[in-house]
Amino acid sequence: MAWISARRRTGWLQLHRWLGLVLGPVFVLLGLSGSLLVFYTEIDAAITPVLAVPGPAPEIRSWQAVLDALERAQPQRDRGWRIELPPEGRGIVTARYLKPAETAGEFFAPLLVSVHPQTGQVLAERFWGRFAATWVYDLHFSLLVGEPGVQVVGVLGLLFTLALVAGLLLWWPRAGHWRSALRLRFGGPPQRRHYDWHKALGLGGAALLLVLSLTGIVLALPTWVEPLFHTVGGPAPSPRPVAPRLPGQPLLPLDAALARVQAHWPGAVPRWVDTPAAGSAVLRVRLWLPGDPSRRFPHSLLWLHAQTGAVLAARDARQLPAGDALLAWVHPLHNGEALGLAGRVLVCVTGLVPLGLALTGWLRWRDRRRARRLAVQGRRPIHSTPHPSHRGDRP
């Protein structure tokens, strides 16, 4: 890349500086909350005493028994449950009841009911957003203001991406100066240290921060961004089968229905089950198939007739059009799941980088203001950072 002109450099510097100063605290908030969310289910289990079960995680012997426990505890809920199935067949089971009357009008506030899979005991009944882990989720996703906040977060993602790009352009060295630009000298005067720490954090975290920022934009602004993906293929059909219940015929036990799913797709791992609403016979299963980048929110779906076991519709993640196949990677890249535990840890650590950038950037801005004030007073600071043109790299 050619050395940018002084005029353009001044413009990029002003943009980078003021985006950091004005929006830096919000970027830090999103980064820190994102770090927590990488392990938010584990954190919730750790800080919620009623979910702590002594000994090894209980084995789930019957999914129908779990559903029966939910229906006994909440008999008035007749629109069906969304049950999360632990992938190893062990652990406390949590189900969601979407759009309960108690939170009508709120953006997203389902009822979450946690059940011991062997005793059928209901351990917790909580509304989303009203306990710590989900409050942090709403803070990160919508700034606690619902759908408008989601769009604001998407725009903030665009601005953060712009700040990162501006920082990279300001640093980018001209030919022959790469070694100097990549050198980090953490000794010397404070101005030098503050700049080198800012540079180290920016260069070390830029690639991952860009991935997190861009995937966050897609998640927050799908109606803006997804059509761009669909230009390369898609969108995939979205089946919405309808099947009223057959009079006088019972529903299949949930275990038998899941066995039908796995017979249809051997090797599939069911992860979420949407049980039929009153009067409906449609049971939907979200399941993981080899090659899907997300194990928690996989992209294959199977709709069954809950009385006959017949397959009503299917969506195989292995056969998605190119655009939807790319979109399937967005969420697992954003939370690190695509790279397993190591990826989640990496994303968790990367969420701390905006805090370091904000602190070192503010120190850098303070240093420059102090140097400018001393120059106006006719005094040169004892330790000053050389101008970039004198040393081959850029502030």
Side-chain angles (χ1 to χ4, degrees), residues 264-316:
H264 181 84
W265 270 327
V269 180
R271 293 306 322 274
W272 297 83
V273 174
D274 289 279
T275 63
S280 171
V282 178
L283 181 143
R284 191 183 80 161
V285 182
R286 181 179 292 273
L287 44 91
W288 179 84
L289 289 167
D292 195 319
S294 177
R295 284 183 171 268
R296 181 152 194 234
F297 298 102
H299 300 85
S300 295
L301 295 163
L302 196 69
W303 289 264
L304 285 182
H305 195 291
Q307 292 170 295
T308 67
V311 175
L312 300 174
R315 185 177 190 260
D316 189 336

Side-chain angles (χ1 to χ4, degrees), residues 79-275:
R79 292 201 307 276
W81 291 89
R82 176 167 292 176
I83 306 173
E84 182 174 5
L85 283 59
E88 305 301 327
R90 290 181 174 275
I92 302 303
V93 180
T94 296
R96 303 178 182 186
Y97 187 82
L98 304 179
K99 298 182 179 180
E102 295 89 335
T103 58
E106 296 186 27
F107 175 55
F108 182 77
L111 170 67
L112 277 68
V113 178
S114 299
V115 176
H116 193 292
Q118 292 182 357
T119 66
Q121 179 186 1
V122 173
L123 302 175
E125 297 177 352
R126 304 175 292 174
F127 290 100
W128 182 281
R130 299 182 185 177
F131 56 99
T134 55
W135 184 88
V136 173
Y137 199 110
D138 285 348
L139 176 66
H140 182 78
F141 189 56
S142 69
L143 299 176
L144 304 179
V145 292
E147 188 171 1
V150 178
Q151 297 178 3
V152 170
V153 169
V155 173
L156 287 169
L158 289 168
L159 295 174
F160 185 59
T161 301
L162 190 58
L164 287 172
V165 170
L168 288 171
L169 286 174
L170 291 167
W171 164 83
W172 200 278
R174 51 185 168 182
H177 292 271
W178 280 89
R179 180 175 298 180
S180 174
L182 292 170
R183 186 182 302 128
L184 299 174
R185 298 172 289 269
F186 296 115
Q191 296 91 330
R192 177 77 255 176
R193 293 199 304 271
H194 298 157
Y195 170 70
D196 276 348
W197 275 114
H198 193 68
K199 180 172 73 171
L201 286 167
L203 294 180
L208 284 170
L209 286 173
L210 282 171
V211 169
L212 295 179
S213 183
L214 292 172
T215 53
I217 292 167
V218 178
L219 293 170
L221 302 173
T223 56
W224 294 15
V225 182
E226 288 185 4
L228 300 176
F229 284 81
H230 292 149
T231 59
V232 298
S238 298
R240 295 183 182 274
V242 175
R245 291 196 188 181
L246 303 173
Q249 186 168 341
L251 298 175
L252 287 172
L254 191 53
D255 302 88
L258 290 173
R260 298 285 181 96
V261 171
Q262 293 179 300
H264 181 84
W265 270 327
V269 180
R271 293 306 322 274
W272 297 83
V273 174
D274 289 279
T275 63

Side-chain angles (χ1 to χ4, degrees), residues 308-374:
T308 67
V311 175
L312 300 174
R315 185 177 190 260
D316 189 336
R318 298 168 297 185
Q319 300 175 1
L320 292 176
D324 283 319
L326 289 172
L327 286 169
W329 283 87
V330 170
H331 194 270
L333 283 174
H334 192 70
N335 65 11
E337 182 191 3
L339 300 177
L341 179 60
R344 296 173 71 195
V345 171
L346 191 59
V347 168
C348 183
V349 172
T350 303
L352 306 177
V353 174
L355 175 60
L357 288 174
L359 289 174
T360 55
W362 179 81
L363 289 170
R364 176 68 178 156
W365 173 76
R366 188 196 63 179
D367 293 340
R368 293 173 67 90
R369 281 178 60 88
R370 182 179 295 168
R372 191 176 297 114
R373 186 169 60 251
L374 291 173

Side-chain angles (χ1 to χ4, degrees), residues 3-13 170 387 394:
W3 183 275
I4 56 176
S5 68
R7 178 179 297 179
R8 289 182 179 177
R9 183 181 183 284
T10 299
W12 282 110
L13 181 60
L170 291 167
H387 188 275
R394 308 183 179 197

Side-chain angles (χ1 to χ4, degrees), residues 38-84:
V38 172
F39 295 101
Y40 86 97
T41 54
E42 292 87 346
I43 292 172
D44 180 47
I47 65 175
T48 308
V50 293
L51 299 182
V53 178
E59 181 182 1
I60 300 159
R61 298 169 182 165
S62 168
W63 287 111
Q64 184 60 44
V66 171
L67 178 58
D68 291 343
L70 290 168
E71 292 178 340
R72 284 196 304 271
Q74 299 281 336
Q76 75 277 22
R77 315 290 183 182
D78 61 357
R79 292 201 307 276
W81 291 89
R82 176 167 292 176
I83 306 173
E84 182 174 5

